[in-house]
Structure formats: structure tokens, C-alpha cells
Amino acid sequence: MKKRRYKSKYLILLMYSLVFIFFGYKMLFYAEHVGRFPDEISHVSYIAYLEETHKIIPEFKDMKILQQTKTIDNNNIKNAEYKFGNDLNYLGHPPLYYHIMRLSGAVQIKNNTVVIDFIKLRSFNIALSLLTILLILYIGYSRIGKNILLHCLYAAIVVSVPMLAYDCAGINNDTLALIGLSVFMFGILRFSEEKRNSLTYFIISLGVFLSFMSKLTAGVVVFISLFIYIALIFIRERNLWFVISKKFLCTLPIYFITIAYYIITYFQTGSILPTYRVLDPQGFYNSGFYVDVANRTYMSFTQYVLYFTKNFMHTWTGIASAVSLIKIGRFISLNNIALALLLIIPILLLFQMKKYMRKYPIFLAAISVYFGVLISIIVQCLRAYNEFVNVSGYLGGYQSRYYLCGISGIALAVVGIVSNYLEGDDKVSEINLEFENNMTLQCYETKRVSMLKKVIVYGICLIFISLLFYEDFIYFLINFKDYL
């Protein structure tokens, strides 16, 4: 039995190692052969601005977009030359990610010319992404248990949403959002496991800080997740003393730094989220983000929600950027169904809450982050509708990649549901084994039905895992043609 346990452990380690290598390969493949990442030149311009000015917090109204000084065929080269243009850099995100990227040394200012090593810059972001994936996979390895199929399911979910590896291959602050939510998830898992020491409080505060300092969308996700998590802990334990404990109070400076940044930004720009419209109204009204009233498409609220949902799901099941591979067709088709179900299956946790909330640490963490993501998506939809109707007439704002930072919570939620179901059948099997020497026909039939259910669940999981890999990278290789 002990030998079998060690063998299973090594198989799980091998599986995670292969998945880690596979994810790294996908990022390198996208960086070398696909490129054209979302808003990449805007993110690089932000880095260049900080490199030139050495400001800790930028003057957002002064940031400009870089322009090429000579034509290049592919940004994936060394020593590409740019200069600052006249167009405003509309990115109003916190500067932490861009300061981190400066450490790569890939952006240099030489006599008013900005020299960029895209290979080094992307490689640095890929390295950050790999470290984050390592943490996410470690969460699965250390928390799921001994069932190798559940580990395979978790790993497949984590690496198979198409935009994740593609987005991480370029220069984008979504990487820092992924780091922040993953660190936060790790912290609340430790807290749920009664590891309520100073380190755990620090990890949670660090996750909150990194999320808010990546982008406000990730901050909203982590804020809602934390609120739900505290509420669930209160329901389970009937006290909130941990909120005013000495260990928590020691982490308050980290939260204060986060709040201070947004206060400073508000006084500088008049908004905690300095948007294009806030920073440069004239430029905004002359840009593609604003549609003249006479040319707008009009939709009812219901029509807009359907439009938002459809396009949100297209960006979840496919790749959407300057280059795209959007899957046309129904979401219940073999090209989409597994990826689409990832956003729906965790809702079943609501029906298991009463039974499993007290027993399983991963339940509290998974349900908090999943519903943090889900509620944030709803908030985004409402905000986009208000922007569409009352401000700009712009039909964008439905990108799902903003919520990939919560992929560990989604994966744990799905695995938790399957694990809970399998555990129920295991208990039936154990009861029947006690009567093995005096087996009645009824007991035998119950055991047979239990084993049949388990075989069906295992079969569904294997099919689901296979579909995830197909709907992600295999589908891309079969259907994508526009390589660099």
C-alpha cells in the first residue's frame, strides 16, 4: 500500500511537470509564431514612459503612445526603435507591473529614441507567468488529494482557456492580475486549513495588494471574493475576531498603501480609474471608442445582455486580439462545450454548501473566488451597458481575459464538485464492504450501482479533459492560418 502511494505521488508530479512544460511551450509558440498581443504597444509605451521619467506614479495625462521610427516586419525582434508620439496612452492602470517589467532592462532611452528588445521583454513576462502557473499547479498538487484523475482535471482546466497562454506570452498587466489572485487564493486556502499565522495574513494582504495594483478589475474580483469569504467564515464559525486580530493589524500598512495609491490617483485625475474620457475628452470623442449619436446601434437592456454574453463567451472559448480565432457556432458544440461549462459548473457548489462547507477547506476558497469572478462579470456587463447607452455608444468592453486571473478558483470549484460526488459513492462502497462476508442481494445491487456511477463519472471526466485540450491548442493548430 505504501509503495502504491509513492507511485501515485510520482505520477501526479510527472503529470503536473508535463502540463507546466506544455503551458510554457504554448507561450513560446504564440510569442514566436503568432504575436499581435492585446494593446501591447500601449503597455510597452507605459514602461518606456516610466523608464524616461523615473516617476513612481505617472502623470497619466502626459503619457504618450510610442511610434515606430523605422518600419519593422515583426515586433518580435531586438533593438526596435520608437519615439513618443502625440496620441495619449489611454492605459490608466496602476504602475506596479510596468515598474517590474523595467527590471528586464529591455527598454532603453537613447537620445530621445526608445530602443526595445521585444524578445527580452516578452521572455521576462513569460517567466513571471511560469512562476505563477507553478504556484497554481502547486495549489492543486497540495490540496486535491490522492486521486490522479482529479489532479488531471484541475491541471487541464488551469492551462486550457485559450486566451490565458496567449495573453501571458505578450506584454500585458493581466499577468500581474493572475499573480495577485493566485497568491490571494493560496492565502485563503491556508486560512481555511486553520494555518492562521502571520505568514497567512501576509499572503492574503499581498494577494489583495497585487490584485488592486495590477488593474481595478482584478481588484474588484478580489474585493468581492474576500467579502464572500469573510461572510462564509462567519457563517461557519460565528465570530469575526480574526478581523481585528494582532496578525491582521500587522498587515494594515499593505492595505493602506493600496488605498493611498487610489487616493493619489483620484486627486491627480479626478477618478480612481483614469479612463481615456477622463484624461483626454477631446481625443476620446474623436477616437474609435466613441460613436456619434446618429451612427449608434440601439439595443434594449435584454438585447444588450444577450449581445454581451455571446461576445464574452466567444472571447472565452477562442482568441480575440489584433489577431483572432473566434469559434463560430453554438456553445454546445464540440468546439466550445467544455470551455463554456467551466463558467457554469461551479454554480453547483451552491447546492453542496450546507453539506461540505464545514469539512473541506478548498470549498470556502473556491466558492469565494468563483463567485467573486461571476459577480464581477455581471458588474462589468452593467457598467458596459451604461457606457454604451449613456456615454459612448461603444460596443466593446466584453473581454473575458480580465477574469482569467481567477482560473485557480474555477478549477478548484469544478474539482471540488466532482470530488464530493465521488466521495459519496466511496462511502457507499465502504459500508457495503463491511457486509462483504454476509452480502445480501440488495447490498450487492447497491454496490454495483455505486461502481457503475463511479465509472460513468470517470468517463465523463476523461472526455471533459480531452475536450479541453482539443478546444484550446489542438483546435488552434488545426484552424489558425495567419502566422507571422
Side-chain angles (χ1 to χ4, degrees):
M1 184 66 71
K2 193 173 181 180
K3 186 176 181 181
R4 185 181 299 175
R5 194 184 306 123
Y6 277 116
K7 186 176 180 181
S8 175
K9 179 181 178 180
Y10 289 132
L11 282 174
I12 292 169
L13 272 173
L14 177 62
M15 183 276 299
Y16 277 119
S17 299
L18 291 174
V19 168
F20 178 77
I21 293 169
F22 173 64
F23 189 81
Y25 171 77
K26 282 200 298 181
M27 288 193 292
L28 292 173
F29 178 87
Y30 289 135
E32 184 173 353
H33 300 293
V34 181
R36 292 158 286 183
F37 301 108
D39 301 317
E40 188 174 54
I41 195 60
S42 299
H43 291 289
V44 175
S45 299
Y46 199 145
I47 300 168
Y49 170 84
L50 294 177
E51 186 67 26
E52 181 183 52
T53 62
H54 299 286
K55 289 181 177 293
I56 297 175
I57 298 176
E59 294 287 342
F60 289 101
K61 293 182 179 180
D62 294 338
M63 290 203 303
K64 305 297 181 182
I65 296 285
L66 292 172
Q67 294 179 339
Q68 294 178 9
T69 58
K70 60 181 180 180
T71 304
I72 54 176
D73 297 325
N74 175 11
N75 278 343
N76 191 21
I77 61 171
K78 295 182 177 181
N79 302 322
E81 294 185 3
Y82 287 79
K83 66 177 181 179
F84 287 103
N86 297 317
D87 294 334
L88 177 78
N89 189 344
Y90 50 82
L91 295 181
H93 302 305
L96 180 59
Y97 169 77
Y98 307 97
H99 281 300
I100 292 172
M101 293 301 291
R102 287 178 61 197
L103 299 176
S104 67
V107 177
Q108 298 181 9
I109 312 296
K110 298 180 178 179
N111 299 323
N112 296 322
T113 298
V114 182
V115 181
I116 303 167
D117 186 339
F118 279 91
I119 294 176
K120 184 184 288 187
L121 208 53
R122 290 173 182 168
S123 298
F124 195 81
N125 193 79
I126 286 171
L128 291 175
S129 302
L130 282 174
L131 288 173
T132 311
I133 291 298
L134 193 63
L135 172 60
I136 294 173
L137 294 179
Y138 172 74
I139 287 172
Y141 173 76
S142 59
R143 265 73 185 181
I144 289 175
K146 301 173 184 177
N147 190 318
I148 190 169
L149 183 66
L150 294 179
H151 285 281
C152 289
L153 178 61
Y154 175 83
I157 294 170
V158 164
V159 302
S160 292
V161 180
M163 276 298 289
L164 183 58
Y166 174 75
D167 203 24
C168 289
I171 298 121
N172 196 301
N173 66 336
D174 291 334
T175 300
L176 187 60
L178 183 65
I179 295 171
L181 260 293
S182 303
V183 171
F184 173 75
M185 169 63 81
F186 184 53
I188 60 175
L189 277 170
R190 285 175 55 90
F191 195 92
S192 301
E193 296 163 344
E194 305 295 333
K195 299 174 183 175
R196 300 182 181 181
N197 53 24
S198 298
L199 177 60
T200 297
Y201 279 91
F202 171 74
I203 291 171
I204 293 173
S205 64
L206 181 62
V208 172
F209 171 76
L210 292 174
S211 298
F212 270 100
M213 296 304 289
S214 61
K215 55 175 58 182
L216 193 56
T217 305
V220 171
V221 173
V222 82
F223 176 79
I224 296 172
S225 300
L226 186 59
F227 180 83
I228 294 171
Y229 182 74
I230 292 173
L232 291 175
I233 288 288
F234 176 74
I235 292 170
R236 190 178 76 166
E237 301 180 6
R238 299 296 179 186
N239 80 76
L240 288 174
W241 285 109
F242 60 88
V243 176
I244 56 174
S245 70
K246 182 179 178 180
K247 296 166 188 173
F248 169 72
L249 294 176
C250 288
T251 63
L252 281 179
I254 298 175
Y255 295 103
F256 288 152
I257 291 171
T258 307
I259 295 169
Y261 165 76
Y262 282 98
I263 291 174
I264 292 169
T265 301
Y266 178 80
F267 280 110
Q268 183 197 124
T269 66
S271 171
I272 61 170
L273 179 61
T275 61
Y276 195 1
R277 182 164 62 94
V278 170
L279 297 174
D280 183 10
Q282 184 177 354
F284 170 77
Y285 289 117
N286 290 320
S287 73
F289 294 106
Y290 180 81
V291 180
D292 190 74
V293 175
N295 298 324
R296 291 182 185 181
T297 302
Y298 290 92
M299 297 185 194
S300 67
F301 178 71
T302 302
Q303 288 174 322
Y304 185 85
V305 169
L306 292 174
Y307 165 83
F308 179 93
T309 303
K310 178 182 176 182
N311 285 280
F312 183 93
M313 293 303 296
H314 277 315
T315 63
W316 179 267
T317 60
I319 285 179
S321 180
V323 61
S324 65
L325 184 62
I326 300 297
K327 298 173 184 175
I328 305 300
R330 302 175 67 181
F331 291 113
I332 59 171
S333 69
L334 291 179
N335 293 334
N336 296 297
I337 188 166
L339 287 167
L341 285 174
L342 288 181
L343 292 174
I344 301 171
I345 291 175
I347 292 176
L348 295 175
L349 283 174
L350 286 176
F351 304 100
Q352 299 179 339
M353 183 181 295
K354 186 176 180 180
K355 185 176 181 181
Y356 294 106
M357 187 172 69
R358 292 183 177 276
K359 188 173 181 182
Y360 296 105
I362 70 168
F363 179 91
L364 291 172
I367 198 170
S368 300
V369 173
Y370 168 72
F371 280 98
V373 169
L374 189 63
I375 294 170
S376 298
I377 293 170
I378 294 171
V379 170
Q380 180 193 350
C381 179
L382 296 175
R383 182 173 174 271
Y385 175 72
N386 179 68
E387 181 82 11
F388 165 70
V389 172
N390 299 317
V391 180
S392 67
Y394 179 60
L395 281 170
Y398 48 71
Q399 279 281 358
S400 63
R401 62 185 171 86
Y402 306 141
Y403 302 98
L404 285 170
C405 53
I407 192 65
S408 58
I410 294 170
L412 276 182
V414 174
V415 168
I417 290 168
V418 177
S419 177
N420 294 339
Y421 184 86
L422 290 175
E423 187 202 50
D425 282 341
D426 287 341
K427 285 183 177 178
V428 172
S429 299
E430 288 172 11
I431 292 170
N432 286 329
L433 283 173
E434 292 180 9
F435 297 95
E436 192 170 0
N437 294 328
N438 189 23
M439 182 73 74
T440 65
L441 181 62
Q442 185 179 1
C443 288
Y444 176 78
E445 184 64 22
T446 304
K447 183 178 179 181
R448 191 178 69 83
V449 170
S450 176
M451 290 301 295
L452 179 60
K453 285 183 179 179
K454 183 178 288 189
V455 169
I456 291 172
V457 172
Y458 272 59
I460 291 173
C461 284
L462 288 171
I463 292 170
F464 192 77
I465 291 167
S466 301
L467 281 173
L468 284 174
F469 283 111
Y470 164 71
E471 293 173 17
D472 174 32
F473 199 51
I474 296 173
Y475 181 91
F476 183 89
L477 294 176
I478 292 172
N479 294 279
F480 189 75
K481 308 298 180 185
D482 188 20
Y483 290 104
L484 292 174

